[in-house]
mmCIF file of all heavy atoms in Angstrom:
data_model
loop_
_atom_site.group_PDB
_atom_site.id
_atom_site.type_symbol
_atom_site.label_atom_id
_atom_site.label_comp_id
_atom_site.label_asym_id
_atom_site.label_seq_id
_atom_site.Cartn_x
_atom_site.Cartn_y
_atom_site.Cartn_z
ATOM 1 N N ILE A 1 75.513 135.983 29.797
ATOM 2 C CA ILE A 1 76.033 135.360 28.691
ATOM 3 C C ILE A 1 75.543 133.926 28.570
ATOM 4 O O ILE A 1 75.790 133.083 29.417
ATOM 5 C CB ILE A 1 77.596 135.336 28.718
ATOM 6 C CG1 ILE A 1 78.163 136.763 28.830
ATOM 7 C CG2 ILE A 1 78.113 134.641 27.399
ATOM 8 C CD1 ILE A 1 77.773 137.661 27.732
ATOM 9 N N VAL A 2 74.777 133.680 27.473
ATOM 10 C CA VAL A 2 74.248 132.306 27.208
ATOM 11 C C VAL A 2 74.957 131.770 26.009
ATOM 12 O O VAL A 2 74.993 132.422 24.942
ATOM 13 C CB VAL A 2 72.696 132.412 26.964
ATOM 14 C CG1 VAL A 2 72.134 131.027 26.683
ATOM 15 C CG2 VAL A 2 71.982 133.054 28.112
ATOM 16 N N PHE A 3 75.487 130.526 26.184
ATOM 17 C CA PHE A 3 76.134 129.879 24.978
ATOM 18 C C PHE A 3 75.036 129.272 24.113
ATOM 19 O O PHE A 3 74.084 128.572 24.602
ATOM 20 C CB PHE A 3 77.122 128.818 25.513
ATOM 21 C CG PHE A 3 78.429 129.390 25.956
ATOM 22 C CD1 PHE A 3 78.920 129.132 27.179
ATOM 23 C CD2 PHE A 3 79.178 130.211 25.039
ATOM 24 C CE1 PHE A 3 80.095 129.659 27.638
ATOM 25 C CE2 PHE A 3 80.398 130.785 25.509
ATOM 26 C CZ PHE A 3 80.845 130.447 26.801
ATOM 27 N N VAL A 4 75.203 129.474 22.842
ATOM 28 C CA VAL A 4 74.248 128.894 21.844
ATOM 29 C C VAL A 4 75.061 128.398 20.660
ATOM 30 O O VAL A 4 76.315 128.475 20.697
ATOM 31 C CB VAL A 4 73.309 130.025 21.343
ATOM 32 C CG1 VAL A 4 72.289 130.373 22.400
ATOM 33 C CG2 VAL A 4 74.038 131.227 20.831
ATOM 34 N N ARG A 5 74.387 127.879 19.619
ATOM 35 C CA ARG A 5 75.118 127.331 18.464
ATOM 36 C C ARG A 5 75.614 128.444 17.566
ATOM 37 O O ARG A 5 76.520 128.203 16.772
ATOM 38 C CB ARG A 5 74.258 126.360 17.640
ATOM 39 C CG ARG A 5 74.019 125.062 18.382
ATOM 40 C CD ARG A 5 73.223 124.124 17.486
ATOM 41 N NE ARG A 5 71.900 124.725 17.179
ATOM 42 C CZ ARG A 5 71.165 124.343 16.127
ATOM 43 N NH1 ARG A 5 71.635 123.487 15.217
ATOM 44 N NH2 ARG A 5 70.010 124.928 15.916
ATOM 45 N N GLY A 6 75.086 129.659 17.668
ATOM 46 C CA GLY A 6 75.468 130.707 16.785
ATOM 47 C C GLY A 6 74.373 131.798 16.829
ATOM 48 O O GLY A 6 73.416 131.708 17.577
ATOM 49 N N THR A 7 74.608 132.776 15.963
ATOM 50 C CA THR A 7 73.709 133.946 15.857
ATOM 51 C C THR A 7 72.259 133.498 15.520
ATOM 52 O O THR A 7 71.277 134.006 16.177
ATOM 53 C CB THR A 7 74.164 134.906 14.794
ATOM 54 O OG1 THR A 7 75.477 135.366 15.091
ATOM 55 C CG2 THR A 7 73.233 136.124 14.668
ATOM 56 N N THR A 8 72.111 132.585 14.636
ATOM 57 C CA THR A 8 70.764 132.109 14.212
ATOM 58 C C THR A 8 70.034 131.559 15.435
ATOM 59 O O THR A 8 68.837 131.906 15.668
ATOM 60 C CB THR A 8 70.840 131.069 13.125
ATOM 61 O OG1 THR A 8 71.448 131.680 11.956
ATOM 62 C CG2 THR A 8 69.441 130.488 12.771
ATOM 63 N N GLU A 9 70.661 130.644 16.193
ATOM 64 C CA GLU A 9 69.980 130.077 17.352
ATOM 65 C C GLU A 9 69.709 131.177 18.397
ATOM 66 O O GLU A 9 68.580 131.158 19.079
ATOM 67 C CB GLU A 9 70.850 129.003 17.932
ATOM 68 C CG GLU A 9 70.095 128.279 19.117
ATOM 69 C CD GLU A 9 70.837 127.073 19.607
ATOM 70 O OE1 GLU A 9 71.831 127.194 20.363
ATOM 71 O OE2 GLU A 9 70.401 125.898 19.215
ATOM 72 N N ALA A 10 70.594 132.108 18.533
ATOM 73 C CA ALA A 10 70.338 133.109 19.573
ATOM 74 C C ALA A 10 69.116 133.992 19.259
ATOM 75 O O ALA A 10 68.354 134.289 20.145
ATOM 76 C CB ALA A 10 71.593 134.046 19.640
ATOM 77 N N ILE A 11 69.017 134.406 17.963
ATOM 78 C CA ILE A 11 67.792 135.190 17.595
ATOM 79 C C ILE A 11 66.549 134.382 17.743
ATOM 80 O O ILE A 11 65.516 134.839 18.220
ATOM 81 C CB ILE A 11 67.956 135.747 16.204
ATOM 82 C CG1 ILE A 11 69.180 136.677 16.077
ATOM 83 C CG2 ILE A 11 66.681 136.481 15.720
ATOM 84 C CD1 ILE A 11 69.537 137.087 14.688
ATOM 85 N N ASN A 12 66.636 133.112 17.333
ATOM 86 C CA ASN A 12 65.459 132.224 17.519
ATOM 87 C C ASN A 12 65.074 132.051 18.956
ATOM 88 O O ASN A 12 63.897 131.988 19.273
ATOM 89 C CB ASN A 12 65.698 130.872 16.826
ATOM 90 C CG ASN A 12 65.385 130.860 15.310
ATOM 91 O OD1 ASN A 12 64.263 130.681 14.939
ATOM 92 N ND2 ASN A 12 66.394 131.160 14.499
ATOM 93 N N LEU A 13 66.089 131.965 19.807
ATOM 94 C CA LEU A 13 65.839 131.840 21.222
ATOM 95 C C LEU A 13 65.039 132.966 21.764
ATOM 96 O O LEU A 13 64.017 132.836 22.433
ATOM 97 C CB LEU A 13 67.204 131.701 21.950
ATOM 98 C CG LEU A 13 67.141 131.348 23.507
ATOM 99 C CD1 LEU A 13 68.469 130.740 23.908
ATOM 100 C CD2 LEU A 13 66.794 132.540 24.404
ATOM 101 N N VAL A 14 65.438 134.243 21.385
ATOM 102 C CA VAL A 14 64.759 135.407 21.841
ATOM 103 C C VAL A 14 63.339 135.499 21.289
ATOM 104 O O VAL A 14 62.381 135.714 22.022
ATOM 105 C CB VAL A 14 65.530 136.686 21.513
ATOM 106 C CG1 VAL A 14 64.736 137.916 21.864
ATOM 107 C CG2 VAL A 14 66.867 136.742 22.207
ATOM 108 N N ALA A 15 63.197 135.130 19.984
ATOM 109 C CA ALA A 15 61.924 135.207 19.348
ATOM 110 C C ALA A 15 60.899 134.186 20.001
ATOM 111 O O ALA A 15 59.715 134.471 20.245
ATOM 112 C CB ALA A 15 62.006 134.928 17.869
ATOM 113 N N LYS A 16 61.394 132.981 20.216
ATOM 114 C CA LYS A 16 60.538 131.910 20.715
ATOM 115 C C LYS A 16 60.366 131.859 22.236
ATOM 116 O O LYS A 16 59.613 130.984 22.725
ATOM 117 C CB LYS A 16 61.062 130.591 20.132
ATOM 118 C CG LYS A 16 60.829 130.496 18.626
ATOM 119 C CD LYS A 16 61.517 129.304 18.019
ATOM 120 C CE LYS A 16 61.018 129.130 16.545
ATOM 121 N NZ LYS A 16 61.350 130.358 15.737
ATOM 122 N N THR A 17 61.094 132.704 22.950
ATOM 123 C CA THR A 17 60.864 132.733 24.398
ATOM 124 C C THR A 17 60.304 134.124 24.736
ATOM 125 O O THR A 17 59.135 134.261 24.974
ATOM 126 C CB THR A 17 62.166 132.511 25.139
ATOM 127 O OG1 THR A 17 63.180 133.537 24.760
ATOM 128 C CG2 THR A 17 62.790 131.175 24.923
ATOM 129 N N TRP A 18 61.130 135.176 24.766
ATOM 130 C CA TRP A 18 60.661 136.465 25.094
ATOM 131 C C TRP A 18 59.586 136.956 24.137
ATOM 132 O O TRP A 18 58.542 137.514 24.602
ATOM 133 C CB TRP A 18 61.842 137.485 25.072
ATOM 134 C CG TRP A 18 61.401 138.884 25.500
ATOM 135 C CD1 TRP A 18 61.412 139.375 26.723
ATOM 136 C CD2 TRP A 18 60.943 139.875 24.597
ATOM 137 N NE1 TRP A 18 60.902 140.677 26.737
ATOM 138 C CE2 TRP A 18 60.634 141.029 25.438
ATOM 139 C CE3 TRP A 18 60.722 139.968 23.236
ATOM 140 C CZ2 TRP A 18 60.133 142.221 24.899
ATOM 141 C CZ3 TRP A 18 60.195 141.151 22.733
ATOM 142 C CH2 TRP A 18 59.957 142.299 23.545
ATOM 143 N N GLY A 19 59.749 136.747 22.862
ATOM 144 C CA GLY A 19 58.783 137.223 21.888
ATOM 145 C C GLY A 19 57.429 136.539 22.070
ATOM 146 O O GLY A 19 56.405 137.197 22.009
ATOM 147 N N ASP A 20 57.479 135.182 22.188
ATOM 148 C CA ASP A 20 56.265 134.444 22.362
ATOM 149 C C ASP A 20 55.521 134.826 23.648
ATOM 150 O O ASP A 20 54.314 134.811 23.768
ATOM 151 C CB ASP A 20 56.480 132.974 22.284
ATOM 152 C CG ASP A 20 55.291 132.162 22.249
ATOM 153 O OD1 ASP A 20 54.562 132.235 21.271
ATOM 154 O OD2 ASP A 20 55.013 131.382 23.213
ATOM 155 N N GLN A 21 56.350 135.177 24.660
ATOM 156 C CA GLN A 21 55.809 135.439 26.012
ATOM 157 C C GLN A 21 55.224 136.828 26.112
ATOM 158 O O GLN A 21 54.157 137.030 26.777
ATOM 159 C CB GLN A 21 56.954 135.229 26.985
ATOM 160 C CG GLN A 21 56.558 135.506 28.485
ATOM 161 C CD GLN A 21 57.742 135.260 29.419
ATOM 162 O OE1 GLN A 21 58.796 134.868 29.005
ATOM 163 N NE2 GLN A 21 57.590 135.572 30.651
ATOM 164 N N HIS A 22 55.829 137.802 25.451
ATOM 165 C CA HIS A 22 55.486 139.215 25.642
ATOM 166 C C HIS A 22 54.764 139.863 24.519
ATOM 167 O O HIS A 22 54.167 140.977 24.766
ATOM 168 C CB HIS A 22 56.781 140.018 26.018
ATOM 169 C CG HIS A 22 57.336 139.620 27.361
ATOM 170 N ND1 HIS A 22 56.919 140.010 28.516
ATOM 171 C CD2 HIS A 22 58.464 138.873 27.614
ATOM 172 C CE1 HIS A 22 57.624 139.554 29.554
ATOM 173 N NE2 HIS A 22 58.564 138.797 28.993
ATOM 174 N N LEU A 23 54.867 139.412 23.324
ATOM 175 C CA LEU A 23 54.260 140.098 22.247
ATOM 176 C C LEU A 23 52.893 139.611 21.897
ATOM 177 O O LEU A 23 52.612 138.401 21.961
ATOM 178 C CB LEU A 23 55.143 140.041 20.975
ATOM 179 C CG LEU A 23 56.540 140.615 21.137
ATOM 180 C CD1 LEU A 23 57.311 140.540 19.805
ATOM 181 C CD2 LEU A 23 56.503 142.045 21.636
ATOM 182 N N GLN A 24 52.021 140.488 21.524
ATOM 183 C CA GLN A 24 50.557 140.157 21.269
ATOM 184 C C GLN A 24 50.202 140.633 19.861
ATOM 185 O O GLN A 24 50.898 141.438 19.234
ATOM 186 C CB GLN A 24 49.665 140.813 22.334
ATOM 187 C CG GLN A 24 50.138 140.544 23.763
ATOM 188 C CD GLN A 24 50.029 139.027 24.127
ATOM 189 O OE1 GLN A 24 49.147 138.308 23.547
ATOM 190 N NE2 GLN A 24 50.959 138.598 25.039
ATOM 191 N N ALA A 25 49.046 140.250 19.411
ATOM 192 C CA ALA A 25 48.483 140.650 18.106
ATOM 193 C C ALA A 25 48.449 142.197 18.096
ATOM 194 O O ALA A 25 47.940 142.812 19.018
ATOM 195 C CB ALA A 25 47.151 140.043 17.886
ATOM 196 N N GLY A 26 48.973 142.755 17.037
ATOM 197 C CA GLY A 26 48.974 144.188 16.873
ATOM 198 C C GLY A 26 50.219 144.845 17.293
ATOM 199 O O GLY A 26 50.521 145.982 16.871
ATOM 200 N N ASP A 27 51.024 144.177 18.160
ATOM 201 C CA ASP A 27 52.324 144.806 18.513
ATOM 202 C C ASP A 27 53.272 144.819 17.227
ATOM 203 O O ASP A 27 53.112 143.944 16.401
ATOM 204 C CB ASP A 27 52.983 143.906 19.572
ATOM 205 C CG ASP A 27 52.370 143.995 20.928
ATOM 206 O OD1 ASP A 27 51.574 144.989 21.122
ATOM 207 O OD2 ASP A 27 52.603 143.154 21.768
ATOM 208 N N GLU A 28 54.142 145.725 17.238
ATOM 209 C CA GLU A 28 54.993 145.935 16.026
ATOM 210 C C GLU A 28 56.464 145.646 16.348
ATOM 211 O O GLU A 28 57.017 145.983 17.343
ATOM 212 C CB GLU A 28 54.841 147.345 15.495
ATOM 213 C CG GLU A 28 53.366 147.598 15.015
ATOM 214 C CD GLU A 28 53.251 148.999 14.377
ATOM 215 O OE1 GLU A 28 54.231 149.685 14.347
ATOM 216 O OE2 GLU A 28 52.093 149.250 13.950
ATOM 217 N N ILE A 29 57.089 144.899 15.408
ATOM 218 C CA ILE A 29 58.482 144.623 15.436
ATOM 219 C C ILE A 29 59.143 145.367 14.212
ATOM 220 O O ILE A 29 58.663 145.225 13.132
ATOM 221 C CB ILE A 29 58.731 143.072 15.265
ATOM 222 C CG1 ILE A 29 58.075 142.356 16.407
ATOM 223 C CG2 ILE A 29 60.231 142.797 15.259
ATOM 224 C CD1 ILE A 29 58.007 140.856 16.172
ATOM 225 N N ILE A 30 60.191 146.077 14.507
ATOM 226 C CA ILE A 30 60.901 146.813 13.419
ATOM 227 C C ILE A 30 62.228 146.114 13.146
ATOM 228 O O ILE A 30 63.018 145.843 14.087
ATOM 229 C CB ILE A 30 61.201 148.261 13.831
ATOM 230 C CG1 ILE A 30 59.840 149.036 13.956
ATOM 231 C CG2 ILE A 30 62.075 148.945 12.804
ATOM 232 C CD1 ILE A 30 59.994 150.464 14.399
ATOM 233 N N ILE A 31 62.510 145.785 11.864
ATOM 234 C CA ILE A 31 63.788 145.331 11.401
ATOM 235 C C ILE A 31 64.228 146.275 10.255
ATOM 236 O O ILE A 31 63.497 147.170 9.970
ATOM 237 C CB ILE A 31 63.710 143.881 10.944
ATOM 238 C CG1 ILE A 31 62.714 143.620 9.802
ATOM 239 C CG2 ILE A 31 63.377 142.882 12.121
ATOM 240 C CD1 ILE A 31 62.717 142.240 9.226
ATOM 241 N N SER A 32 65.389 146.016 9.700
ATOM 242 C CA SER A 32 65.786 146.877 8.648
ATOM 243 C C SER A 32 65.857 146.079 7.325
ATOM 244 O O SER A 32 65.858 144.889 7.303
ATOM 245 C CB SER A 32 67.210 147.487 8.913
ATOM 246 O OG SER A 32 68.204 146.604 8.549
ATOM 247 N N HIS A 33 65.989 146.801 6.206
ATOM 248 C CA HIS A 33 66.076 146.233 4.888
ATOM 249 C C HIS A 33 67.372 145.474 4.724
ATOM 250 O O HIS A 33 67.534 144.706 3.748
ATOM 251 C CB HIS A 33 65.898 147.304 3.816
ATOM 252 C CG HIS A 33 65.245 146.782 2.576
ATOM 253 N ND1 HIS A 33 64.217 147.491 1.893
ATOM 254 C CD2 HIS A 33 65.371 145.641 1.853
ATOM 255 C CE1 HIS A 33 63.800 146.828 0.911
ATOM 256 N NE2 HIS A 33 64.506 145.683 0.788
ATOM 257 N N LEU A 34 68.404 145.725 5.597
ATOM 258 C CA LEU A 34 69.716 145.140 5.494
ATOM 259 C C LEU A 34 69.822 143.711 6.040
ATOM 260 O O LEU A 34 70.894 143.134 5.936
ATOM 261 C CB LEU A 34 70.719 146.025 6.199
ATOM 262 C CG LEU A 34 70.958 147.440 5.635
ATOM 263 C CD1 LEU A 34 71.753 148.260 6.629
ATOM 264 C CD2 LEU A 34 71.668 147.390 4.267
ATOM 265 N N GLU A 35 68.760 143.224 6.650
ATOM 266 C CA GLU A 35 68.868 142.044 7.503
ATOM 267 C C GLU A 35 69.269 140.751 6.754
ATOM 268 O O GLU A 35 68.752 140.506 5.668
ATOM 269 C CB GLU A 35 67.696 141.900 8.365
ATOM 270 C CG GLU A 35 67.326 142.978 9.276
ATOM 271 C CD GLU A 35 68.436 143.538 10.087
ATOM 272 O OE1 GLU A 35 69.216 142.706 10.647
ATOM 273 O OE2 GLU A 35 68.686 144.767 10.117
#
């Protein structure tokens, strides 16, 4: 459990840490139309 300012910061944290570290050009991210 990591305390953050809210949902927005939490998603940005994952994107800018794990995402930046592990994802490469051509890798695919799936989201939904509801987001």
